[in-house]
């Protein structure tokens, strides 16, 4: 398989066509952004860490019966993935109050939520990815009722699997964002990435942050933290 023309360039990844019609080539970039691109920096080593963490987690989820668009890791920074039609949605799950949930609703960060709280966001940079409810999803024809139910069911299953994986390496899965796509056969599968860019990961004993919040809040270098997450997950 060979890499062909650039199909799409996002903030953190590039997507290329390949010689295989149903396979795309993803390259993880070193660019880090926060606040929808308001803060932007190149951070050497970030791309390869996120690629390796995502590849490892997609492999582990597959072992637990959760399919994704992931086919295989091609190099330190690259992956082969199945071409899917993406939902224009971000699905966020929260196990612990933090981030925009705490800010918007006035709930202290670090409080365990009584059940996993699921939110939908519209993927639209111009609108700053607004939070939306099920009716908005239906009215904007982003997904059908059946698809909404399937997205929720899959997300909760992924949450259970990820909580378990991270707990084994002494990490508290606070919250995270998922994206989904549809294969050409019409199956809904997990897509995009799962990394410290898209999850809040706190050390189980100290609550030390091991994720992008350190970059968002200008609290230091994220590379040793992302490396720590990868090193721990490699022990699984
Ligand atoms: O900022 P907020 O608290 O809403 O983020 C919830 C979770 O979703 C965090 O883990 C964050 O990293 C992730 N997220 C993301 N991409 C976005 C928005 C949030 O990965 N565009």
């Amino acid at each position: 398989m060979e890499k062909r023309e650039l199909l799409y360039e996002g903030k953190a990844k590039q997507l290329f066509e390949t010689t295989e019609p149903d396979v795309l080539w993803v390259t993880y970039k070193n660019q880090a952004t926060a606040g929808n691109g308001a803060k932007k920096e190149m951070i050497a080593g970030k791309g390869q860490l996120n690629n390796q963490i995502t590849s490892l987690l997609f492999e582990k989820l597959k072992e637990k019966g959760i399919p994704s668009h992931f086919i295989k890791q091609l190099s330190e920074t690259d992956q082969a993935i199945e071409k899917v039609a993406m939902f224009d949605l971000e699905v966020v799950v929260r196990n612990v109050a933090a981030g925009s949930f705490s800010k918007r609703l006035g709930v202290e960060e670090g409080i365990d939520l009584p059940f996993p709280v699921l939110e939908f966001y519209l993927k639209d940079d111009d609108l700053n990815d607004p939070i939306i409810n099920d009716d908005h999803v239906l009215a904007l024809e982003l997904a059908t009722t059946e698809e909404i139910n399937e997205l929720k069911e899959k997300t909760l299953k992924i949450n259970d699997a990820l909580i378990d994986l991270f707990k084994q390496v002494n990490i508290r899965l606070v919250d995270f964002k998922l994206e989904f796509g549809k294969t050409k056969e019409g199956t809904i599968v997990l897509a995009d990435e799962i990394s410290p860019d898209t999850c809040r990961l706190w050390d189980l004993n100290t609550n030390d942050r091991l994720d992008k919040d350190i970059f968002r809040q200008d609290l230091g270098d994220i590379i040793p933290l992302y490396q720590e997450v990868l090193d721990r997950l490699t022990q699984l």
Side-chain angles (χ1 to χ4, degrees), residues 90 92 94 98-100 121 129 175-177 197-200 216:
E90 294 186 342
V92 167
R94 302 179 187 275
S100 70
Y121 290 82
D129 297 343
D175 58 33
F176 59 99
K177 183 266 300 180
D197 269 9
T198 63
C199 305
R200 283 198 175 89
R216 292 186 185 105

Side-chain angles (χ1 to χ4, degrees), residues 11 90-94 98-102 104 119 121 129 174-179 192 195-201 211-213 216:
K11 292 193 273 281
E90 294 186 342
V91 189
V92 167
V93 189
R94 302 179 187 275
S100 70
F101 181 92
S102 290
R104 198 154 39 82
E119 297 168 348
Y121 290 82
D129 297 343
V174 171
D175 58 33
F176 59 99
K177 183 266 300 180
L178 297 177
E179 294 186 31
D192 197 52
S195 72
D197 269 9
T198 63
C199 305
R200 283 198 175 89
L201 305 170
D211 58 56
K212 195 175 158 187
D213 270 353
R216 292 186 185 105

Side-chain angles (χ1 to χ4, degrees), residues 9-14 27-50 193 195-198 211-223 226:
E9 175 143 15
K11 292 193 273 281
K13 297 185 283 295
Q14 292 174 314
T27 302
Y28 280 67
K29 305 198 297 184
N30 283 336
Q31 180 169 275
T33 62
N36 192 18
K39 177 175 157 75
K40 199 189 281 188
E41 253 174 60
M42 293 302 283
I43 302 182
K46 186 181 85 91
Q48 57 137 322
L49 286 165
N50 280 348
E193 69 177 277
S195 72
D197 269 9
T198 63
D211 58 56
K212 195 175 158 187
D213 270 353
I214 297 298
F215 171 77
R216 292 186 185 105
Q217 297 167 18
D218 281 322
L219 293 175
D221 183 5
I222 55 169
I223 294 301
Y226 285 32

